[in-house]
Amino acid sequence: MKLDDIKKLHQKKYRAEFGHFLVEGEHLALELQKAALQNPQLQRAELYVTSAYEHWQSPFRTHLISDRQMAQLADTKTPQGIIAVVPMPSAAPAPVAGERAVYLHEIQDPGNLGTILRTLAWFGGFRCLLSPGSVDPYNPKVVRASMGAIFHTPLELDVDLDGLPERFPRLACLDMQGEPVQSAEFKTFDCYLFGNEARGVPRERLATLNAQPFTIGGSGAIESLNLAATVNICAYELSR
């Protein structure tokens, strides 16, 4: 891929056009290499490095570029000197027995999504479903915040909310009113719904889904929890 085209991968429309996204920094490059051992598609990634990483041991085709060229490609202000151009998955892997689904409705914050992916990868046994209108998971900010979890968590994009009951017989959602997430029943659902950071999931749509509400108890001193923190707590409860 030409360097001018790689620069364009910071924009969603070009990621979709070229079918690739960027991974920047030493830690993410290492996570990519680990994931590529199990995923043949990732083995087609290519590395672009400065002289500081000229002797980096990698299974990928590697290109040496100047510090100036790296600064033009990088999304960070002080790039480390290593960037991978990674093929986007053609499809999410098929669900496995015992896997739980986490559905995110119109999530907007890249940091929230990256943190959620990191949590789901840490506990394992989850797949992440994103509604239409959600932040692009291959946005560089999401990729960095995921700390490599984007390679280890099955992802499905543009999953329509109204189609969930056809796939998942039992749906749960988080609400201010409901059974506590510590209850044994909380672990019995197939899919867990979490809403937009500001608006949640519209109540009229929740009613048609017949989603069972659960709540995370708090002191009442503030109105709500951060979305990523909410998913983190729920993933912990489901995994312990």
Side-chain angles (χ1 to χ4, degrees), residues 17-154:
E17 179 180 337
F18 296 130
H20 287 75
F21 67 102
L22 295 177
V23 165
E24 183 178 344
E26 184 175 315
H27 175 80
L28 287 174
L30 285 170
E31 287 295 331
L32 171 62
Q33 289 178 194
K34 284 165 50 180
L37 295 174
Q38 307 296 327
N39 186 336
Q41 188 175 15
L42 294 178
Q43 294 169 13
R44 303 202 309 271
E46 296 191 15
L47 279 185
Y48 291 78
V49 301
T50 62
S51 58
Y53 286 90
E54 186 175 0
H55 302 294
W56 180 270
Q57 297 298 309
S58 165
F60 309 125
R61 183 181 178 188
T62 302
H63 310 266
L64 182 64
I65 61 175
S66 69
D67 290 338
R68 181 174 176 275
Q69 288 172 317
M70 179 61 69
Q72 293 174 335
L73 297 184
D75 186 56
T76 55
K77 291 183 179 179
T78 55
Q80 292 182 27
I82 181 168
I83 285 180
V85 178
V86 184
M88 292 170 64
S90 54
V96 298
E99 184 180 75
R100 291 185 172 100
V102 167
Y103 183 88
L104 304 177
H105 181 69
E106 297 182 357
I107 181 172
Q108 297 299 303
D109 186 272
N112 274 342
L113 179 54
T115 300
I116 289 169
L117 293 175
R118 191 174 177 183
T119 295
L120 299 184
W122 173 263
F123 289 111
F126 291 97
R127 74 173 36 224
C128 184
L129 281 54
L130 296 174
S131 76
S134 294
V135 64
D136 180 9
Y138 302 106
N139 176 314
K141 292 183 175 65
V142 177
V143 175
R144 286 200 301 276
S146 81
M147 293 296 286
I150 195 163
F151 305 125
H152 304 289
T153 305

Side-chain angles (χ1 to χ4, degrees), residues 161-174:
L161 182 66
D162 295 328
L164 292 181
E166 297 178 13
R167 292 181 58 185
F168 305 104
R170 305 193 73 225
L171 300 170
C173 64
L174 269 289

